[in-house]
Amino acid sequence: MQQFFPLITNQINRRSQQEFFRKSTLPHCELEVLGKGFQRMIKEIRTKRIDIADWFILAQKADELQIKQHETKELISLQFLKERWQQAGVIPYPHQINSATRVIHKLQGQAILADEVGLGKTIEAGIILKEYILRGLVQKVLILTPASLLWQWYHELYEKFGIVAGIQRTKWDWESAQILIASLDTAKKEPHSSIIRKRNYDMLIIDEAHKLKNNNTLSFKFVNSLQKKYCLMLTATPIQNNLKELYNLIGLIKPGQLGGFSTFKSRFMKDKRTPKNPNELKELLSQVMIRNRREEGTVRFTKRIVHPVVVSLTPKEQDIYEQVTNFIKESSQRSGVTNILPLITLQREVCSSFLATALTLEKMMANMNEKDLSVAAKILQELAETKQNSKCDALEKLIKDLDDKVIIFTEYKASQKYIRYRLEKLGFSTLAFDGSLSRGKKNWIRCMFQKEGQILVSTESGGEGLNFQFCNQVINFDLPWNPMRLEQRIGRVHRLGQTRDVHIYNLVTKDTIEEHIMYLLHQKINMFESIIGELDTILLNLKLGKTFESEIMKIFLKHEQDVLREKLDQFGEEILEEQEKIKNANWNFF
Amino acid sequence: MEFLLIEEVPTILKQVIFNFFKLCDLTPREIRAGVWQVQINEELMKELDGWRAQARLLQFTFDQKLAESYGADLICIGSYRLNSILEVIQKQGIFTHLHISHNVFHEPNIRKKVLNELGSENRVYVVNESQMHGQYLQLKILARTISLEKKESIHTLNVNLSSGEVLKFAISPHLIEPGKGRVTDIRKRKCSFKKAFSNAVDYLIKTPQFADPGWTEKAWETFEQEKSKLRSFFNETDEDDIYSLKVKELKNKYAPKLQIDIMRSAVLFTPLFFYKLILIKPSGQEQSRNVLYDPISNAYELN
């Protein structure tokens, strides 16, 4: 094989990347003569790197083909990514391809991608980004996301689009990486924000863009001051409470599209939640925003089938449960509800496994007063003596009946270990997933599970950001109290690409708090069978984002069993009312 | 402007791929009708697929259906495999030597032409003759017109490195041979590379394709429309710094721009014919003359 010439482009100094000289020729037209090619030519002449003519002639043909590629109206990224997508199991949906085509050819690369939850906004953004990169229009890219989604973005871009991005860690990363994923919260702070403002990005992508709805926030002002050529903003909820939120978001993408705010107010706002001239507004919005809906039938999701598995505790287990519950209630009465978190954990663990309960109780004992200590020691003693676990027995029975792949979710690592111990004793081989594993190990385990494994025992944090569409059975060994976390669990398997109905088995211990939680999540708000698209908005509006568990615990501690159901009913009603309110808001104009 | 017609693409594409393998000393074997197989070593595979790639038996085809049936890599516009190969090809150097042999011109004809040029009323004798080489800079220039859309085109321009003039017509590619050949007695350049490039740019922007102001006016109109929208938005705020930033952003995006850069270049050694002459005027006066004839640009240098 003939010797390749080294890549010289990298050695060209910075000055040559800038324009070589600039003149004005036609009216309004700027001529930019770039020095990159010239400098490279001079360098090759000086160093006597004379290319072999056959390669040179071939390269000319290659250049022509490359330009032909750039000229085509079709999305070349679809062809480019075909094999990668076959390997990764990605199936692009028509609405995603249409959105990407529209953004590139009609919206000039500036758009709010406002598809409803689960329709694949990230895939759309990835296609657009890849297309621009392949066409040579985009090199410098900044992706701003919430901190929790940094790795998910990294992983998606690499796995699905072959785009190697960097994750921002230090202030030097802003200048060194061409494609950078960063947390919006970090980026908006100094010294980072000043560095970023000086840079000129070819493309800016903002995930969870509804966080920029308020134009008085630092986040909004920061994003507004960034220099970019193309911009994509991803959000499922471009309006949450007020039409001004939408106006602000549009102002970030294309200021002036809806006029000044007073014009917008007089032309398009009846009140803060009701639009005027919806058709005209819709027309203007369609020039900057794309929204695909589930009900449009672009995507058919398979069904979620729920199988509650009610487990009766043995008298001994029931006795321990009562002891732990009483202990929690008494402790909370003494300490007030200020330090409720360990008690919530304990209450949830006692419904999961005694091993998990014992470990937490042991930790708590370090800070207990003498009275509590003696009670806790007695409970610990009983926990240690109890060999039976009815929930695990039920799980074993269930697993024996399921012959396909299954993911078992638990909240606790101790329970995870115990489940694996019990199942492996029965001869099942299991794989484990938890938050402490590196991304590489997680991928490897995911691959093992896809190819050979039957059972994967995972904690919630372990499964974050990974998709298991090849599996359609989920067992919730214990129930998370927060519906968002429950949705995340189910969302690992019930998402785009799932071809079979998803079976969800919920192990619920009878006569425990778990039974009430199950009632609230399943019967009351029907969490399992329907996807509540606006769940995050509902929780945000009810100010329940992080305190959902605490609210339930407060209800549980304050009320006796007989009124508990009634109180949970009220709580559920509030959620449903808020959901209805959001549904009925006149947001259907976009 | 040279540009591929759509129907030419598959042919050029196949030529590029097979020439690429040929230059890498590899011979693809057609294992089924339309499906080729070639053993690629680790070094080349890494160039193609990145540092993790291993040596492999690459199967490729130009047909979508065959690619699906046999799991072969599809090579077509936009495909990953085509792009990975194009990338390796384009990584090579951008500068080379080319030459045109003296043999492509019939010397007696040239001599006749030169002598005729000195006037039929004079008598002219050739005392001495020799063959030299002149230098042209052949530039493959990428021109991008950027407004709402980006349009790219490649232009080949030849600049005479003695006079700095741009050749007004294309040199037929079949006359050009690779490398320097047996080029000796090269005439020194009088024009720098930078000047040659600058002349080429001046020439290019005056060609009808770029001199027509239609596209720039249309783009400027859009820019002005967007700017007025922007003004209406910022009229109600006092964020002047953000306004100027947004105008700059808008200008970058919508204002018409012609971007020019060199993609590849070559020094083209061309034949020059030198004659030492004795010219006898009708008055009987004798003069000694040197004529240098450049058959490429049909130019004489007389002294």
Side-chain angles (χ1 to χ4, degrees):
Chain A
M1 196 178 78
Q2 290 185 34
Q3 186 62 46
F4 286 112
F5 279 97
L7 182 60
I8 294 167
T9 336
N10 296 337
Q11 300 164 12
I12 296 168
N13 60 34
R14 267 184 190 194
R15 206 157 55 92
S16 66
Q17 305 279 354
Q18 294 159 8
E19 64 197 68
F20 192 48
F21 57 87
R22 189 184 274 258
K23 319 175 173 183
S24 188
T25 50
L26 289 166
H28 314 304
C29 180
E30 218 169 54
L31 171 70
E32 234 180 60
V33 182
L34 304 176
K36 194 174 155 188
F38 181 79
Q39 298 277 358
R40 197 175 156 195
M41 175 184 90
I42 296 296
K43 195 165 186 117
E44 288 187 20
I45 293 169
R46 281 195 188 138
T47 51
K48 297 198 172 152
R49 284 178 195 273
I50 312 298
D51 199 7
I52 299 151
D54 290 339
W55 274 109
F56 183 82
I57 292 161
L58 186 64
Q60 287 181 30
K61 299 265 180 224
D63 294 340
E64 288 170 19
L65 273 177
Q66 191 74 277
I67 286 180
K68 195 79 223 162
Q69 287 200 126
H70 292 171
E71 218 185 34
T72 176
K73 286 275 173 198
E74 302 287 315
L75 297 183
I76 49 176
S77 52
L78 298 182
Q79 188 61 51
F80 188 92
L81 295 165
K82 207 169 183 180
E83 280 170 50
R84 181 175 281 271
W85 282 356
Q86 270 167 5
Q87 285 165 9
V90 180
I91 304 155
Y93 284 86
H95 75 271
Q96 292 170 332
I97 296 169
N98 289 343
S99 298
T101 313
R102 229 182 107 197
V103 171
I104 291 164
H105 294 308
K106 298 253 168 72
L107 310 187
Q108 280 102 40
Q110 284 178 316
I112 298 176
L113 300 176
D115 292 0
E116 284 183 347
V117 175
L119 292 183
K121 290 184 284 296
T122 320
I123 298 278
E124 287 170 13
I127 296 174
I128 296 164
L129 176 60
K130 187 73 188 178
E131 188 69 26
Y132 276 126
I133 290 174
L134 287 176
R135 284 172 185 266
L137 290 167
V138 161
Q139 284 172 331
K140 255 188 283 174
V141 183
L142 178 64
I143 300 164
L144 295 174
T145 76
S148 57
L149 297 177
L150 291 174
W151 279 102
Q152 193 176 321
W153 266 91
Y154 172 85
H155 181 69
E156 293 247 328
L157 287 182
Y158 181 67
E159 288 287 312
K160 294 178 181 164
F161 301 98
I163 297 171
V164 185
I167 290 184
Q168 185 272 334
R169 289 167 208 274
T170 66
K171 65 175 183 176
W172 292 281
D173 293 338
W174 303 114
E175 280 169 351
S176 58
Q178 285 288 72
I179 302 173
L180 193 67
I181 308 167
S183 142
L184 175 61
D185 288 330
T186 308
K188 71 184 179 190
K189 288 179 200 149
E190 290 294 349
H192 310 292
S193 64
S194 306
I195 303 170
I196 305 167
R197 277 194 192 105
K198 280 181 203 150
R199 288 179 67 79
N200 211 336
Y201 290 98
D202 294 323
M203 181 170 255
L204 175 68
I205 299 176
I206 298 165
D207 197 7
E208 305 291 345
H210 50 265
K211 291 187 175 163
L212 305 171
K213 63 184 179 177
N214 185 345
N215 60 350
N216 293 319
T217 58
L218 184 62
S219 301
F220 181 96
K221 285 176 183 164
F222 165 69
V223 171
N224 201 24
S225 65
L226 297 183
Q227 295 177 64
K228 71 267 178 196
K229 195 162 142 199
Y230 304 112
C231 182
L232 297 176
M233 292 169 76
L234 281 60
T235 173
T237 48
I239 319 177
Q240 288 175 336
N241 295 308
N242 192 336
L243 276 164
K244 194 178 178 221
E245 294 166 3
L246 181 68
Y247 174 83
N248 288 338
L249 282 184
I250 303 284
L252 279 177
I253 282 274
K254 209 172 174 187
Q257 175 68 14
L258 303 173
F261 185 61
S262 56
T263 323
F264 174 74
K265 214 170 157 185
S266 60
R267 267 173 78 190
F268 299 117
M269 278 175 80
K270 257 186 206 161
D271 59 56
K272 67 176 192 174
R273 293 177 80 97
T274 323
K276 224 194 289 183
N277 301 324
N279 289 338
E280 199 186 336
L281 181 57
K282 192 175 178 177
E283 172 57 33
L284 284 173
L285 287 177
S286 71
Q287 293 167 20
V288 276
M289 189 161 86
I290 295 175
R291 184 162 171 88
N292 293 303
R293 291 166 177 278
R294 283 163 186 273
E295 64 209 32
E296 284 164 3
T298 44
V299 176
R300 287 194 189 282
F301 281 92
T302 55
K303 278 188 203 155
R304 292 177 175 192
I305 302 162
V306 184
H307 307 272
V309 181
V310 180
V311 181
S312 298
L313 297 175
T314 60
K316 171 88 177 158
E317 285 173 305
Q318 189 70 43
D319 180 47
I320 293 176
Y321 173 81
E322 298 299 341
Q323 281 187 48
V324 172
T325 307
N326 289 336
F327 171 73
I328 289 167
K329 282 188 175 177
E330 280 164 21
S331 300
S332 70
Q333 272 165 14
R334 267 197 299 279
S335 62
V337 284
T338 45
N339 193 14
I340 206 166
L341 202 66
L343 299 176
I344 296 175
T345 310
L346 203 60
Q347 186 69 62
R348 283 157 65 188
E349 279 174 339
V350 74
C351 300
S352 177
S353 74
F354 287 169
L355 181 63
T357 320
L359 289 173
T360 305
L361 197 61
E362 205 177 358
K363 272 185 210 161
M364 285 170 72
M365 282 167 79
N367 301 320
M368 277 180 190
N369 58 35
E370 245 176 57
K371 196 183 171 197
D372 280 349
L373 208 57
S374 64
V375 181
K378 189 176 165 265
I379 296 173
L380 204 58
Q381 178 73 22
E382 295 214 25
L383 285 170
E385 282 168 7
T386 312
K387 300 285 174 218
Q388 201 178 3
N389 186 316
S390 304
K391 213 173 195 183
C392 236
D393 296 342
L395 176 72
E396 284 175 359
K397 219 170 137 191
L398 181 63
I399 291 277
K400 279 179 195 164
D401 295 338
L402 303 174
D403 53 358
D404 207 348
K405 289 183 196 300
V406 58
I407 302 175
I408 304 168
F409 277 111
T410 174
E411 295 237 344
Y412 308 102
K413 268 177 111 172
S415 300
Q416 182 193 34
K417 277 183 189 163
Y418 183 67
I419 294 165
R420 288 190 73 196
Y421 162 76
R422 291 280 301 261
L423 292 177
E424 294 207 345
K425 221 168 115 185
L426 274 182
F428 290 107
S429 68
T430 63
L431 292 160
F433 237 51
D434 65 67
S436 66
L437 295 175
S438 67
R439 176 63 56 178
K441 273 188 187 161
K442 278 186 185 175
N443 276 335
W444 182 72
I445 293 172
R446 183 185 175 274
C447 255
M448 290 275 289
F449 180 49
Q450 185 171 12
K451 283 180 187 158
E452 295 162 16
Q454 195 212 330
I455 301 167
L456 179 74
V457 189
S458 175
T459 61
E460 266 155 43
S461 55
E464 260 173 33
L466 288 170
N467 307 327
F468 300 91
Q469 293 100 323
F470 52 84
C471 170
N472 74 327
Q473 298 183 115
V474 172
I475 298 176
N476 287 313
F477 185 77
D478 39 44
L479 282 178
W481 291 6
N482 191 327
M484 283 289 281
R485 292 168 70 182
L486 186 63
E487 182 56 44
Q488 271 165 15
R489 274 187 185 185
I490 303 167
R492 301 294 106 219
V493 294
H494 189 249
R495 57 193 304 122
L496 286 182
Q498 177 58 267
T499 51
R500 298 174 290 173
D501 289 342
V502 171
H503 294 269
I504 304 155
Y505 299 90
N506 295 315
L507 296 180
V508 184
T509 42
K510 208 177 165 192
D511 299 327
T512 65
I513 190 169
E514 218 168 41
E515 208 180 355
H516 298 294
I517 300 290
M518 182 68 183
Y519 168 76
L520 176 71
L521 298 179
H522 182 37
Q523 275 136 291
K524 194 72 203 168
I525 62 174
N526 195 20
M527 253 310 292
F528 295 96
E529 282 165 346
S530 67
I531 303 164
I532 303 181
E534 307 82 8
L535 192 62
D536 48 353
T537 318
I538 296 168
L539 299 185
L540 202 76
N541 289 355
L542 292 173
K543 298 191 172 115
L544 285 174
K546 285 178 184 165
T547 58
F548 197 92
E549 288 94 337
S550 308
E551 287 303 315
I552 291 183
M553 194 65 186
K554 277 179 202 165
I555 296 171
F556 182 65
L557 290 175
K558 272 187 203 163
H559 305 97
E560 290 304 318
Q561 286 288 333
D562 46 340
V563 283
L564 196 60
R565 185 59 64 93
E566 194 186 314
K567 292 290 164 191
L568 284 174
D569 264 342
Q570 278 175 14
F571 189 55
E573 284 300 330
E574 276 178 45
I575 294 173
L576 290 177
E577 266 172 36
E578 191 57 37
Q579 188 190 2
E580 201 62 23
K581 221 190 271 176
I582 291 173
K583 221 184 250 176
N584 292 338
N586 290 324
W587 299 153
N588 291 335
F589 56 90
F590 61 81
Chain B
M1 189 186 89
E2 304 143 31
F3 213 71
L4 295 178
L5 296 169
I6 289 183
E7 56 271 21
E8 282 177 338
V9 171
T11 323
I12 302 282
L13 200 142
K14 283 182 187 170
Q15 274 175 15
V16 168
I17 299 304
F18 287 111
N19 280 344
F20 167 73
F21 286 125
K22 195 178 156 194
L23 288 172
C24 295
D25 284 343
L26 297 169
T27 317
R29 225 158 35 91
E30 192 167 11
I31 50 167
R32 286 182 194 90
V35 183
W36 284 266
Q37 183 174 280
V38 61
Q39 178 66 45
I40 298 190
N41 64 22
E42 197 176 315
E43 187 198 359
L44 180 57
M45 214 56 229
K46 282 188 193 312
E47 293 272 349
L48 288 168
D49 284 357
W51 62 275
R52 283 204 289 194
Q54 302 279 311
R56 69 174 267 212
L57 197 61
L58 180 84
Q59 286 188 3
F60 66 90
T61 176
F62 302 96
D63 186 300
Q64 179 109 26
K65 278 184 192 156
L66 289 173
E68 277 160 19
S69 335
Y70 298 107
D73 287 6
L74 177 66
I75 298 182
C76 68
I77 286 291
S79 76
Y80 169 76
R81 187 50 67 206
L82 174 66
N83 276 279
S84 68
I85 291 174
L86 291 185
E87 210 175 294
V88 172
I89 295 171
Q90 287 173 325
K91 270 185 196 173
Q92 308 304 303
I94 65 160
F95 179 78
T96 194
H97 283 157
L98 301 168
H99 76 278
I100 298 176
S101 163
H102 281 84
N103 299 337
V104 300
F105 299 99
H106 189 234
E107 197 277 329
N109 276 356
I110 289 184
R111 181 189 293 226
K112 202 172 160 189
K113 193 175 167 136
V114 169
L115 298 183
N116 282 345
E117 200 64 29
L118 291 168
S120 53
E121 69 276 19
N122 301 324
R123 280 187 292 149
V124 186
Y125 300 96
V126 176
V127 180
N128 199 358
E129 63 162 313
S130 62
Q131 294 181 345
M132 295 171 73
H133 283 93
Q135 296 183 55
Y136 277 73
L137 182 65
Q138 187 174 79
L139 295 167
K140 299 271 174 187
I141 291 178
L142 176 70
R144 283 193 198 103
T145 54
I146 306 169
S147 54
L148 282 175
E149 288 183 328
K150 185 184 85 165
K151 279 184 188 163
E152 291 178 323
S153 50
I154 302 176
H155 304 261
T156 307
L157 294 173
N158 297 290
V159 188
N160 189 330
L161 288 174
S162 292
S163 63
E165 278 174 23
V166 182
L167 210 59
K168 291 187 173 58
F169 48 86
I171 299 175
S172 176
H174 75 270
L175 299 178
I176 301 172
E177 291 174 55
K180 219 170 167 180
R182 289 181 184 170
V183 173
T184 50
D185 203 4
I186 301 166
R187 200 174 174 215
K188 275 196 174 176
R189 294 193 307 264
K190 287 178 191 162
C191 172
S192 70
F193 288 124
K194 189 173 175 179
K195 178 75 183 147
F197 177 40
S198 174
N199 289 354
V201 171
D202 283 339
Y203 177 85
L204 187 66
I205 58 180
K206 283 174 194 151
T207 55
Q209 191 190 346
F210 300 109
D212 171 27
W215 71 277
T216 62
E217 277 163 7
K218 203 175 158 194
W220 191 258
E221 213 176 279
T222 316
F223 167 66
E224 285 293 339
Q225 275 172 12
E226 294 297 324
K227 204 172 149 188
S228 70
K229 278 187 195 172
L230 199 65
R231 205 175 295 123
S232 73
F233 181 82
F234 281 95
N235 270 347
E236 295 175 18
T237 64
D238 51 356
E239 295 167 311
D240 290 341
D241 48 341
I242 299 287
Y243 173 67
S244 51
L245 190 88
K246 296 283 171 187
V247 171
K248 194 177 152 198
E249 208 175 278
L250 208 62
K251 201 169 177 193
N252 275 342
K253 203 168 155 94
Y254 293 104
K257 196 187 288 174
L258 173 61
Q259 220 173 49
I260 287 175
D261 200 4
I262 296 177
M263 281 195 101
R264 305 196 179 270
S265 58
V267 168
L268 175 64
F269 296 98
T270 57
L272 290 176
F273 294 88
F274 175 78
Y275 298 97
K276 196 173 175 65
L277 308 166
I278 297 289
L279 186 138
I280 306 168
K281 291 190 173 173
S283 60
Q285 191 191 355
E286 283 188 9
Q287 273 182 349
S288 170
R289 287 285 176 92
N290 293 332
V291 177
L292 191 67
Y293 177 66
D294 177 359
I296 300 294
S297 56
N298 192 27
Y300 300 86
E301 261 185 52
L302 199 67
N303 53 42

